[in-house]
Amino acid sequence: MSVLLQMAMFPTDKSESKSEYVAEVIKVIMESGFPYQLTSMATIIETPKLSDALNIVQKCYDKLEKLGSNRVYAPITFDIRKGHDNRLTGKIKSVEDKIGEVSK
């Protein structure tokens, strides 16, 4: 099974710039040991089980709460597919096989 989790998470009750808080969330994701891809609008993480993905979401929220956040915004999307893995890179390769290299 492959669970792709796309998420962005940041406090809405702090400064206009969010990079300080996003960096702390990314540290949590890095520490999870699962492959991830940071983009300018969200982070995509691949886990083998839904419970792993949900655990990452919880740990990210816990980190922001520990930093004093009273309100957190977090759009979260899942793509769960049985019988597949390595979709974080495989889905991009599938498109590149059809049209050539794309911007990453």
Side-chain angles (χ1 to χ4, degrees):
M1 176 187 287
S2 167
V3 177
L4 290 179
L5 160 62
Q6 178 178 276
M7 66 175 269
M9 185 179 288
F10 54 86
T12 60
D13 61 335
K14 301 295 179 186
S15 65
E16 182 178 344
S17 175
K18 306 298 183 196
S19 62
E20 173 185 348
Y21 299 96
V22 171
E24 292 299 320
V25 167
I26 296 303
K27 284 182 193 176
V28 171
I29 293 168
M30 291 170 63
E31 290 168 2
S32 77
F34 293 109
Y36 70 95
Q37 181 179 30
L38 175 65
T39 74
S40 59
M41 295 293 291
T43 302
I44 307 162
I45 308 146
E46 184 169 14
T47 65
K49 300 182 299 189
L50 180 58
S51 59
D52 294 326
L54 293 170
N55 188 41
I56 291 170
V57 172
Q58 181 68 57
K59 286 182 177 182
C60 290
Y61 172 76
D62 291 346
K63 173 57 93 171
L64 292 178
E65 185 178 43
K66 185 181 244 184
L67 293 172
S69 301
N70 293 315
R71 187 172 187 183
V72 173
Y73 179 76
I76 297 171
T77 306
F78 292 102
D79 179 0
I80 304 165
R81 189 168 184 190
K82 293 180 180 179
H84 289 81
D85 59 6
N86 297 320
R87 293 188 312 134
L88 189 63
T89 56
K91 291 176 76 157
I92 295 168
K93 183 180 180 325
S94 179
V95 171
E96 287 183 329
D97 288 347
K98 294 168 181 61
I99 64 170
E101 188 173 344
V102 300
S103 176
K104 297 177 199 119

Coordinates of all heavy atoms in Angstrom, one line a residue, residues 27-101:
K27 N 11.0 19.8 9.8 CA 11.9 19.0 10.7 C 11.1 17.8 11.2 O 11.7 16.7 11.3 CB 12.3 19.8 11.9 CG 13.4 20.8 11.6 CD 13.8 21.6 12.8 CE 14.6 22.8 12.6 NZ 14.9 23.5 13.9
V28 N 9.9 17.9 11.6 CA 9.1 16.8 12.1 C 9.0 15.7 11.0 O 9.1 14.5 11.2 CB 7.7 17.2 12.6 CG1 6.8 16.0 12.9 CG2 7.9 18.1 13.9
I29 N 8.7 16.2 9.8 CA 8.5 15.3 8.6 C 9.8 14.6 8.3 O 9.8 13.4 8.1 CB 8.0 16.1 7.4 CG1 6.5 16.6 7.7 CG2 8.0 15.2 6.2 CD1 6.0 17.6 6.7
M30 N 10.9 15.3 8.4 CA 12.2 14.7 8.1 C 12.5 13.6 9.1 O 13.0 12.6 8.8 CB 13.3 15.8 8.1 CG 13.3 16.8 7.0 SD 14.4 18.2 7.2 CE 16.0 17.4 7.2
E31 N 12.2 13.9 10.4 CA 12.5 13.0 11.5 C 11.7 11.7 11.4 O 12.0 10.7 11.9 CB 12.3 13.6 12.8 CG 13.3 14.7 13.1 CD 13.0 15.6 14.3 OE1 11.9 15.4 15.0 OE2 13.8 16.5 14.6
S32 N 10.5 11.8 10.6 CA 9.7 10.6 10.5 C 10.4 9.5 9.7 O 10.1 8.3 9.8 CB 8.4 11.0 9.8 OG 8.6 11.1 8.4
G33 N 11.4 9.9 8.8 CA 12.1 8.9 8.0 C 11.4 8.5 6.7 O 12.0 7.8 5.9
F34 N 10.2 9.0 6.5 CA 9.5 8.7 5.3 C 9.9 9.7 4.2 O 10.3 10.8 4.4 CB 8.0 8.8 5.5 CG 7.5 7.7 6.4 CD1 7.0 8.1 7.7 CD2 7.5 6.4 6.0 CE1 6.6 7.1 8.5 CE2 7.0 5.4 6.9 CZ 6.5 5.8 8.1
P35 N 9.9 9.2 2.9 CA 10.3 10.1 1.8 C 9.2 11.2 1.7 O 8.0 11.0 1.9 CB 10.2 9.2 0.6 CG 9.5 8.0 0.9 CD 9.5 7.9 2.4
Y36 N 9.8 12.4 1.3 CA 8.9 13.6 1.2 C 9.4 14.5 0.1 O 10.6 14.4 -0.3 CB 8.7 14.3 2.5 CG 10.0 15.0 2.9 CD1 10.2 16.4 2.6 CD2 11.0 14.4 3.6 CE1 11.3 17.0 3.0 CE2 12.2 15.0 3.9 CZ 12.4 16.4 3.6 OH 13.5 17.0 3.9
Q37 N 8.6 15.4 -0.3 CA 8.9 16.4 -1.3 C 8.3 17.7 -0.9 O 7.1 17.8 -0.8 CB 8.5 16.0 -2.7 CG 8.8 17.0 -3.8 CD 8.3 16.5 -5.1 OE1 7.3 15.8 -5.3 NE2 9.1 16.9 -6.2
L38 N 9.2 18.7 -0.6 CA 8.7 20.0 -0.3 C 8.5 20.8 -1.5 O 9.3 20.8 -2.4 CB 9.8 20.7 0.6 CG 9.5 22.2 1.0 CD1 8.3 22.3 1.9 CD2 10.8 22.8 1.7
T39 N 7.3 21.5 -1.6 CA 7.0 22.4 -2.7 C 6.8 23.8 -2.1 O 6.7 23.9 -0.9 CB 5.8 21.9 -3.6 OG1 4.6 22.2 -2.9 CG2 5.9 20.4 -3.9
S40 N 6.5 24.7 -3.0 CA 6.3 26.1 -2.5 C 5.0 26.2 -1.8 O 4.7 27.2 -1.1 CB 6.4 27.1 -3.6 OG 5.5 26.8 -4.6
M41 N 4.0 25.3 -2.1 CA 2.7 25.4 -1.5 C 2.3 24.3 -0.5 O 1.3 24.5 0.2 CB 1.7 25.4 -2.6 CG 1.8 26.6 -3.6 SD 1.4 28.2 -2.7 CE -0.4 28.0 -2.5
A42 N 3.0 23.2 -0.5 CA 2.7 22.1 0.3 C 3.8 21.1 0.4 O 4.8 21.3 -0.4 CB 1.4 21.4 -0.2
T43 N 3.7 20.1 1.2 CA 4.7 19.0 1.3 C 3.9 17.7 1.0 O 2.8 17.5 1.5 CB 5.3 19.0 2.7 OG1 6.0 20.3 2.9 CG2 6.4 17.9 2.7
I44 N 4.6 16.8 0.2 CA 4.0 15.5 -0.1 C 4.9 14.5 0.6 O 6.1 14.5 0.4 CB 4.0 15.3 -1.6 CG1 3.3 16.5 -2.3 CG2 3.3 14.0 -1.9 CD1 3.5 16.5 -3.8
I45 N 4.2 13.6 1.3 CA 4.9 12.5 2.0 C 4.3 11.2 1.6 O 3.1 11.1 1.4 CB 4.7 12.7 3.6 CG1 5.1 14.2 4.0 CG2 5.5 11.7 4.4 CD1 4.2 14.7 5.1
E46 N 5.2 10.2 1.5 CA 4.7 8.8 1.2 C 4.9 7.9 2.4 O 6.1 7.8 2.8 CB 5.3 8.3 -0.1 CG 4.7 6.9 -0.5 CD 5.2 6.4 -1.8 OE1 6.1 7.0 -2.4 OE2 4.5 5.5 -2.3
T47 N 3.9 7.2 2.8 CA 4.0 6.2 3.9 C 3.3 4.9 3.4 O 2.5 4.9 2.5 CB 3.3 6.7 5.2 OG1 1.9 6.9 4.9 CG2 3.8 8.1 5.6
P48 N 3.7 3.8 4.1 CA 3.1 2.5 3.7 C 1.7 2.3 4.3 O 1.0 1.4 3.9 CB 4.1 1.5 4.2 CG 4.8 2.2 5.4 CD 4.8 3.7 5.0
K49 N 1.4 3.1 5.4 CA 0.1 2.9 6.0 C -0.6 4.2 6.3 O 0.1 5.2 6.6 CB 0.3 2.1 7.4 CG 0.9 0.7 7.2 CD 1.0 0.0 8.6 CE 1.8 0.8 9.5 NZ 2.2 0.1 10.7
L50 N -1.9 4.3 6.3 CA -2.6 5.5 6.7 C -2.3 5.9 8.1 O -2.1 7.1 8.4 CB -4.1 5.3 6.5 CG -5.0 6.4 6.9 CD1 -4.7 7.6 6.0 CD2 -6.5 6.1 6.7
S51 N -2.1 5.0 9.0 CA -1.8 5.4 10.4 C -0.5 6.1 10.5 O -0.3 7.0 11.3 CB -1.8 4.1 11.3 OG -0.9 3.2 10.9
D52 N 0.5 5.8 9.7 CA 1.8 6.5 9.6 C 1.5 7.9 9.2 O 2.1 8.8 9.8 CB 2.7 5.8 8.7 CG 3.2 4.4 9.1 OD1 3.3 4.2 10.3 OD2 3.4 3.6 8.2
A53 N 0.7 8.1 8.2 CA 0.5 9.5 7.7 C -0.3 10.3 8.7 O 0.1 11.5 9.0 CB -0.3 9.4 6.4
L54 N -1.3 9.7 9.4 CA -2.0 10.4 10.4 C -1.1 10.8 11.6 O -1.3 11.8 12.2 CB -3.2 9.6 10.8 CG -4.3 9.4 9.8 CD1 -5.3 8.4 10.2 CD2 -5.0 10.7 9.4
N55 N -0.2 9.9 11.9 CA 0.7 10.1 13.0 C 1.6 11.3 12.7 O 1.9 12.2 13.6 CB 1.6 8.9 13.3 CG 2.4 9.0 14.5 OD1 2.0 9.5 15.5 ND2 3.7 8.5 14.4
I56 N 2.1 11.5 11.4 CA 2.9 12.6 11.1 C 2.0 13.9 11.2 O 2.5 14.9 11.7 CB 3.4 12.5 9.6 CG1 4.4 11.4 9.5 CG2 3.9 13.8 9.1 CD1 4.8 11.0 8.1
V57 N 0.8 13.9 10.8 CA -0.1 15.1 10.9 C -0.2 15.5 12.4 O 0.0 16.6 12.7 CB -1.5 14.8 10.3 CG1 -2.4 15.9 10.6 CG2 -1.4 14.6 8.8
Q58 N -0.4 14.5 13.2 CA -0.5 14.8 14.7 C 0.8 15.3 15.2 O 0.7 16.3 16.0 CB -0.9 13.5 15.4 CG -1.1 13.7 16.9 CD -2.3 14.5 17.3 OE1 -3.4 14.2 16.9 NE2 -2.1 15.6 18.0
K59 N 1.9 14.8 14.9 CA 3.2 15.3 15.4 C 3.5 16.7 14.9 O 4.0 17.5 15.7 CB 4.3 14.3 15.0 CG 4.3 13.0 15.8 CD 5.5 12.1 15.4 CE 5.5 10.9 16.3 NZ 6.6 10.0 16.0
C60 N 3.1 17.0 13.7 CA 3.3 18.3 13.2 C 2.4 19.3 14.0 O 2.9 20.4 14.3 CB 2.9 18.4 11.7 SG 4.2 17.5 10.6
Y61 N 1.2 19.0 14.2 CA 0.3 19.8 15.0 C 0.9 20.0 16.4 O 0.9 21.1 16.9 CB -1.1 19.3 15.0 CG -2.0 20.1 16.0 CD1 -2.4 21.4 15.7 CD2 -2.2 19.6 17.3 CE1 -3.1 22.1 16.6 CE2 -2.9 20.4 18.2 CZ -3.3 21.7 17.9 OH -4.0 22.4 18.8
D62 N 1.3 18.9 17.0 CA 1.8 19.0 18.4 C 3.0 19.9 18.4 O 3.2 20.7 19.4 CB 2.3 17.6 18.8 CG 1.1 16.7 19.1 OD1 0.0 17.1 19.1 OD2 1.4 15.4 19.2
K63 N 3.9 20.0 17.4 CA 5.0 20.9 17.3 C 4.6 22.3 17.3 O 5.1 23.2 18.0 CB 5.9 20.5 16.1 CG 7.0 21.5 15.9 CD 7.9 21.7 17.1 CE 9.1 20.7 16.9 NZ 10.1 21.0 18.0
L64 N 3.6 22.6 16.5 CA 3.1 24.0 16.4 C 2.4 24.4 17.7 O 2.5 25.6 18.2 CB 2.1 24.2 15.2 CG 2.8 24.1 13.8 CD1 1.7 24.2 12.8 CD2 3.9 25.1 13.7
E65 N 1.7 23.5 18.3 CA 1.1 23.8 19.6 C 2.1 24.1 20.7 O 2.0 25.0 21.4 CB 0.2 22.6 20.1 CG -0.6 22.9 21.3 CD -1.5 21.7 21.7 OE1 -1.0 20.6 21.7 OE2 -2.6 22.0 22.1
K66 N 3.2 23.3 20.7 CA 4.3 23.5 21.6 C 5.0 24.9 21.4 O 5.5 25.5 22.3 CB 5.4 22.4 21.4 CG 6.5 22.4 22.4 CD 7.5 21.3 22.1 CE 7.5 20.4 23.3 NZ 8.4 19.3 23.2
L67 N 4.9 25.4 20.1 CA 5.5 26.7 19.8 C 4.5 27.8 20.1 O 4.8 29.0 19.8 CB 5.9 26.7 18.3 CG 7.1 25.8 18.0 CD1 7.3 25.8 16.5 CD2 8.4 26.2 18.7
G68 N 3.4 27.5 20.7 CA 2.5 28.5 21.2 C 1.4 28.9 20.2 O 0.7 29.9 20.4
S69 N 1.2 28.1 19.2 CA 0.1 28.4 18.2 C -1.3 28.1 18.8 O -1.5 27.0 19.4 CB 0.3 27.5 17.0 OG 1.6 27.8 16.4
N70 N -2.2 29.0 18.7 CA -3.5 28.9 19.2 C -4.5 28.5 18.0 O -5.6 28.1 18.3 CB -4.0 30.1 19.9 CG -3.3 30.3 21.2 OD1 -3.0 29.4 21.9 ND2 -2.8 31.6 21.4
R71 N -4.1 28.8 16.8 CA -4.9 28.5 15.6 C -4.0 28.0 14.5 O -3.0 28.7 14.2 CB -5.7 29.7 15.2 CG -6.7 29.4 14.1 CD -7.6 30.6 13.9 NE -8.6 30.3 12.9 CZ -9.5 31.1 12.5 NH1 -9.5 32.4 12.9 NH2 -10.4 30.8 11.6
V72 N -4.3 26.9 14.0 CA -3.5 26.2 12.9 C -4.4 25.9 11.7 O -5.5 25.4 11.8 CB -2.9 24.9 13.5 CG1 -2.2 24.2 12.4 CG2 -1.9 25.2 14.6
Y73 N -3.8 26.3 10.5 CA -4.5 26.0 9.3 C -3.8 24.8 8.6 O -2.5 24.8 8.6 CB -4.4 27.2 8.3 CG -5.0 27.0 7.0 CD1 -6.4 27.0 6.8 CD2 -4.2 26.8 5.9 CE1 -7.0 26.8 5.6 CE2 -4.8 26.6 4.6 CZ -6.2 26.6 4.5 OH -6.8 26.4 3.3
A74 N -4.5 23.8 8.2 CA -3.9 22.6 7.6 C -4.8 21.9 6.5 O -5.5 21.0 6.9 CB -3.6 21.6 8.7
P75 N -4.6 22.3 5.3 CA -5.3 21.6 4.2 C -4.6 20.2 4.0 O -3.3 20.2 3.9 CB -5.2 22.5 3.0 CG -4.0 23.3 3.3 CD -3.9 23.5 4.8
I76 N -5.3 19.2 4.0 CA -4.7 17.8 4.0 C -5.4 17.0 2.9 O -6.6 17.0 2.9 CB -4.8 17.1 5.3 CG1 -3.9 17.9 6.4 CG2 -4.3 15.7 5.3 CD1 -4.1 17.5 7.8
T77 N -4.6 16.3 2.0 CA -5.2 15.5 1.0 C -4.5 14.1 1.0 O -3.3 14.1 1.2 CB -5.0 16.1 -0.4 OG1 -5.5 17.4 -0.4 CG2 -5.6 15.3 -1.5
F78 N -5.2 13.0 0.9 CA -4.7 11.7 0.8 C -4.9 11.1 -0.5 O -6.0 11.3 -1.1 CB -5.3 10.8 1.9 CG -4.9 11.2 3.3 CD1 -5.9 11.9 4.1 CD2 -3.7 10.8 3.8 CE1 -5.6 12.2 5.4 CE2 -3.4 11.2 5.1 CZ -4.3 11.9 5.9
D79 N -4.0 10.3 -1.0 CA -4.2 9.4 -2.2 C -3.7 8.0 -1.7 O -2.5 7.8 -1.5 CB -3.4 9.9 -3.4 CG -3.6 9.0 -4.6 OD1 -4.3 7.9 -4.5 OD2 -2.9 9.3 -5.6
I80 N -4.6 7.1 -1.5 CA -4.3 5.8 -0.9 C -4.5 4.8 -1.9 O -5.6 4.7 -2.5 CB -5.2 5.5 0.3 CG1 -5.1 6.7 1.4 CG2 -4.9 4.2 1.0 CD1 -6.2 6.7 2.4
R81 N -3.5 4.0 -2.2 CA -3.6 3.0 -3.3 C -2.9 1.7 -2.8 O -1.7 1.6 -2.5 CB -2.9 3.5 -4.5 CG -3.2 2.6 -5.7 CD -2.7 3.2 -7.0 NE -3.1 2.4 -8.1 CZ -2.7 2.5 -9.4 NH1 -1.9 3.6 -9.7 NH2 -3.0 1.7 -10.3
K82 N -3.7 0.6 -2.8 CA -3.2 -0.7 -2.5 C -2.4 -1.3 -3.6 O -2.6 -1.0 -4.8 CB -4.3 -1.6 -2.1 CG -5.1 -1.2 -0.9 CD -6.2 -2.2 -0.6 CE -7.0 -1.8 0.7 NZ -8.1 -2.7 0.9
G83 N -1.4 -2.1 -3.2 CA -0.6 -2.8 -4.2 C 0.5 -2.0 -4.9 O 1.0 -2.4 -5.9
H84 N 0.7 -0.8 -4.5 CA 1.7 0.1 -5.1 C 2.7 0.7 -4.1 O 2.3 0.8 -2.9 CB 1.0 1.2 -5.9 CG 0.4 0.7 -7.1 ND1 -0.9 0.1 -7.1 CD2 0.8 0.6 -8.4 CE1 -1.2 -0.3 -8.3 NE2 -0.2 0.1 -9.1
D85 N 3.8 1.1 -4.5 CA 4.7 1.9 -3.7 C 5.6 2.8 -4.5 O 5.5 2.8 -5.7 CB 5.6 0.9 -2.8 CG 6.5 0.0 -3.6 OD1 6.5 0.1 -4.8 OD2 7.1 -0.9 -3.0
N86 N 6.4 3.6 -3.9 CA 7.3 4.5 -4.6 C 6.5 5.4 -5.6 O 7.0 5.8 -6.6 CB 8.4 3.8 -5.4 CG 9.3 3.0 -4.4 OD1 9.7 3.5 -3.4 ND2 9.7 1.8 -4.8
R87 N 5.3 5.8 -5.2 CA 4.5 6.7 -6.0 C 5.0 8.2 -6.0 O 4.6 8.9 -6.9 CB 3.1 6.6 -5.7 CG 2.5 5.2 -6.1 CD 1.1 5.0 -5.9 NE 0.5 5.5 -4.7 CZ -0.6 6.3 -4.6 NH1 -1.3 6.6 -5.7 NH2 -1.0 6.7 -3.4
L88 N 5.7 8.5 -4.9 CA 6.2 9.9 -4.8 C 7.0 10.3 -6.1 O 6.9 11.4 -6.6 CB 7.0 10.1 -3.5 CG 7.4 11.5 -3.1 CD1 6.2 12.4 -2.9 CD2 8.3 11.5 -1.9
T89 N 7.8 9.4 -6.5 CA 8.6 9.6 -7.7 C 8.0 8.9 -8.9 O 8.2 9.4 -10.0 CB 10.1 9.1 -7.5 OG1 10.0 7.7 -7.1 CG2 10.8 9.9 -6.4
G90 N 7.4 7.8 -8.7 CA 6.8 7.0 -9.8 C 5.8 7.7 -10.6 O 5.7 7.6 -11.8
K91 N 4.9 8.5 -9.9 CA 3.9 9.2 -10.7 C 4.5 10.3 -11.6 O 4.0 10.5 -12.7 CB 2.9 9.9 -9.7 CG 2.0 8.8 -9.0 CD 1.1 9.5 -7.9 CE 0.0 10.1 -8.6 NZ -1.2 10.3 -7.8
I92 N 5.6 10.9 -11.1 CA 6.3 11.9 -12.0 C 6.9 11.2 -13.2 O 6.8 11.7 -14.3 CB 7.3 12.7 -11.1 CG1 6.5 13.5 -10.1 CG2 8.1 13.6 -12.0 CD1 7.4 14.1 -9.0
K93 N 7.6 10.1 -12.9 CA 8.2 9.4 -14.0 C 7.2 8.9 -15.0 O 7.5 9.0 -16.2 CB 9.0 8.1 -13.4 CG 9.7 7.4 -14.5 CD 10.4 6.2 -13.9 CE 11.2 5.4 -14.9 NZ 10.6 5.3 -16.3
S94 N 6.0 8.5 -14.6 CA 5.0 8.1 -15.5 C 4.7 9.2 -16.5 O 4.5 9.0 -17.7 CB 3.8 7.6 -14.8 OG 2.8 7.2 -15.6
V95 N 4.6 10.4 -16.0 CA 4.3 11.6 -16.9 C 5.5 11.9 -17.8 O 5.4 12.1 -19.0 CB 3.9 12.8 -16.1 CG1 3.8 14.1 -16.9 CG2 2.6 12.6 -15.3
E96 N 6.7 11.8 -17.2 CA 7.9 12.1 -18.0 C 8.1 11.1 -19.1 O 8.6 11.4 -20.1 CB 9.1 12.2 -17.0 CG 9.2 13.4 -16.2 CD 10.4 13.5 -15.3 OE1 11.0 12.5 -14.9 OE2 10.8 14.6 -15.1
D97 N 7.7 9.8 -18.8 CA 7.8 8.8 -19.9 C 7.0 9.2 -21.1 O 7.3 8.8 -22.2 CB 7.4 7.5 -19.4 CG 8.4 6.8 -18.4 OD1 9.5 7.3 -18.3 OD2 8.0 5.9 -17.7
K98 N 5.9 10.0 -20.9 CA 5.0 10.4 -22.0 C 5.4 11.7 -22.6 O 5.2 11.9 -23.8 CB 3.6 10.5 -21.4 CG 3.1 9.1 -21.0 CD 1.8 9.2 -20.2 CE 1.3 7.9 -19.8 NZ 2.1 7.1 -18.9
I99 N 6.0 12.7 -21.9 CA 6.3 14.0 -22.4 C 7.7 14.5 -22.2 O 8.0 15.6 -22.7 CB 5.3 15.0 -21.9 CG1 5.5 15.3 -20.4 CG2 3.9 14.7 -22.2 CD1 4.7 16.4 -19.8
G100 N 8.5 13.7 -21.6 CA 9.9 14.2 -21.3 C 10.0 14.8 -19.9 O 9.0 14.9 -19.2
E101 N 11.2 15.3 -19.6 CA 11.5 15.8 -18.3 C 10.6 17.0 -18.0 O 10.4 17.9 -18.8 CB 13.0 16.2 -18.2 CG 13.4 16.6 -16.8 CD 14.9 16.8 -16.6 OE1 15.6 16.4 -17.5 OE2 15.2 17.4 -15.6

